[in-house]
Amino acid sequence: MAGAGSGGGWWWWWWFTNTRLLSLEGGGRLVTSTEFEAATDQLAETPGAAAISSLEELQGHVSLAVDKEDQEDGELEENDQTQLLGGEKQSPKFWTFSYHQSFFDVDTYQVLERIKSSLLPAPRQNFVKHCLRHHPDLYGPFWICATLAFTLAVSSNLSTLLQSWSQSSFSYSPQFHKVTVAGVTIYCYAWLVPAALWGFLQWRKGVRDRVGCYTFLETVCVYGYSLFIYIPTVVLWLIPISGLQWFFGVLAVSLSGAVLLLTFWPLVRSDTKVVSAVLLTVMVALHALLAIGCKIYFFQSLPSRSVPVTQAPLRQATAPGSSRTSAAS
């Protein structure tokens, strides 16, 4: 038994000698010389008890180091999550790409539903509350204006071509400047008129508390989608019947103007009757003026060219006898 005990004591002596530096992925600690000597003396007196107590002490150090590491890792993860959430809450700057990207974050289904609502306005349906739902986009208005400008220029050139085709002296050259005129006209109307309307409503909101106001992007979005009905109208203007062209124009202005009236009437109905009537009248008048201007400028009838009749010079007729008389004399 003594030999076994001494042998066990030497084994624990070797184990202590080789494990003075305790490390657990950098989380252990160095055993001091005082602790090492105390453990050696205890091992000499009671080898078994010393080994057990030393082992428990070392396990305590290791578990303490592991707990500290877990706590530090948890704090780091919480800090990372806090920074991540804080970064999500921060709104991007105006000059960054992510700021403008949010205005084009819309799917095809939403765009089609908004176009459908602009074509068929319901009496009790507000375009902003029921269609936009306070989530305006610039994708639809941008491409609607671009498509309208391109369609207007192409239809105008086709109309001029069809009118000149029946003339004998046919001479046609594409009018590319109409693309520029159409683009500038449509985009200026789709941005400047909503900007003026938004500024006026902001001013009236400061004068009268009950007057409401949409955001600038919501106002631009309403005007952009209201112009979609002009695209099929422009195509139908290719029919060379003046009365039918004006009928399609009046129908388009009526439907498109109804969208504007139903959308902005809840904002101005709390204002005075004069201001409300004048504002809504000006809105519809500008909308109609755009259609009339496009009809007159891009689809004007060509003047009929009169073919000049060339007449041969008249010669003075002389009697046969007079010529002979003059020759004899």
Side-chain angles (χ1 to χ4, degrees):
M1 293 296 294
S6 61
W10 285 109
W11 184 86
W12 283 108
W13 176 269
W14 176 85
W15 185 81
F16 261 98
T17 305
N18 289 277
T19 56
R20 286 191 65 188
L21 182 60
L22 302 176
S23 60
L24 183 60
E25 296 180 354
R29 71 178 186 87
L30 184 65
V31 180
T32 60
S33 58
T34 305
E35 294 176 348
F36 186 75
E37 292 177 357
T40 304
D41 297 339
Q42 188 176 4
L43 179 63
E45 296 175 359
T46 55
I52 294 173
S53 61
S54 299
L55 182 59
E56 291 177 353
E57 182 181 0
L58 293 175
Q59 289 178 351
H61 292 320
V62 172
S63 61
L64 181 61
V66 172
D67 293 338
K68 289 183 178 180
E69 284 188 354
D70 293 340
Q71 184 178 2
E72 292 177 356
D73 294 339
E75 292 177 356
L76 290 176
E77 290 179 359
E78 291 179 357
N79 293 332
D80 294 339
Q81 292 178 358
T82 304
Q83 293 177 359
L84 182 60
L85 294 176
E88 291 178 354
K89 292 181 180 179
Q90 293 179 357
S91 58
K93 303 299 182 180
F94 175 77
W95 55 84
T96 59
F97 179 77
S98 58
Y99 177 83
H100 299 277
Q101 186 179 5
S102 61
F103 302 135
F104 293 85
D105 187 12
V106 63
D107 55 9
T108 306
Y109 176 77
Q110 292 177 340
V111 174
L112 293 178
E113 286 295 323
R114 294 174 181 182
I115 291 175
K116 180 181 177 181
S117 300
S118 66
L119 292 175
L120 302 173
R124 296 183 180 180
Q125 183 177 4
N126 190 317
F127 189 82
V128 174
K129 294 182 179 180
H130 295 85
C131 298
L132 299 184
R133 297 176 182 176
H134 301 288
H135 183 66
D137 69 285
L138 294 180
Y139 180 85
F142 175 81
W143 285 111
I144 287 174
C145 293
T147 306
L148 178 58
F150 182 77
T151 306
L152 191 60
V154 172
S155 299
S156 177
N157 279 270
L158 288 177
S159 177
T160 305
L161 176 62
L162 293 176
Q163 292 181 22
S164 303
W165 188 269
S166 59
Q167 297 181 0
S168 58
S169 58
F170 174 71
S171 175
Y172 172 75
S173 60
Q175 300 174 349
F176 293 105
H177 68 280
K178 290 186 176 181
V179 180
T180 304
V181 175
V184 172
T185 303
I186 298 302
Y187 276 102
C188 286
Y189 177 82
W191 281 92
L192 296 181
V193 174
L197 177 60
W198 177 78
F200 180 80
L201 292 177
Q202 288 287 344
W203 171 66
R204 294 302 301 176
K205 185 178 180 180
V207 176
R208 298 179 66 91
D209 297 335
R210 295 183 180 181
V211 177
C213 182
Y214 298 126
T215 63
F216 175 70
L217 291 179
E218 289 176 345
T219 308
V220 172
C221 191
V222 172
Y223 266 83
Y225 280 101
S226 66
L227 294 176
F228 180 83
I229 195 173
Y230 286 170
I231 297 176
T233 303
V234 167
V235 177
L236 292 175
W237 278 348
L238 289 174
I239 301 174
I241 301 176
S242 180
L244 197 58
Q245 291 177 352
W246 286 110
F247 171 76
F248 290 138
V250 172
L251 181 61
V253 172
S254 301
L255 294 176
S256 185
V259 175
L260 298 179
L261 293 178
L262 294 174
T263 303
F264 290 97
W265 166 246
L267 300 180
V268 299
R269 63 183 176 183
S270 300
D271 207 338
T272 60
K273 295 182 178 180
V274 176
V275 174
S276 302
V278 171
L279 178 61
L280 296 178
T281 303
V282 171
M283 290 172 55
V284 177
L286 290 176
H287 219 58
L289 185 62
L290 176 66
I292 296 173
C294 292
K295 171 65 177 65
I296 295 176
Y297 179 80
F298 292 98
F299 293 90
Q300 55 184 347
S301 301
L302 295 178
S304 59
R305 299 179 181 179
S306 59
V307 180
V309 179
T310 57
Q311 297 179 355
L314 298 177
R315 295 181 181 180
Q316 185 177 2
T318 55
S322 60
S323 60
R324 293 177 181 178
T325 305
S326 60
S329 62

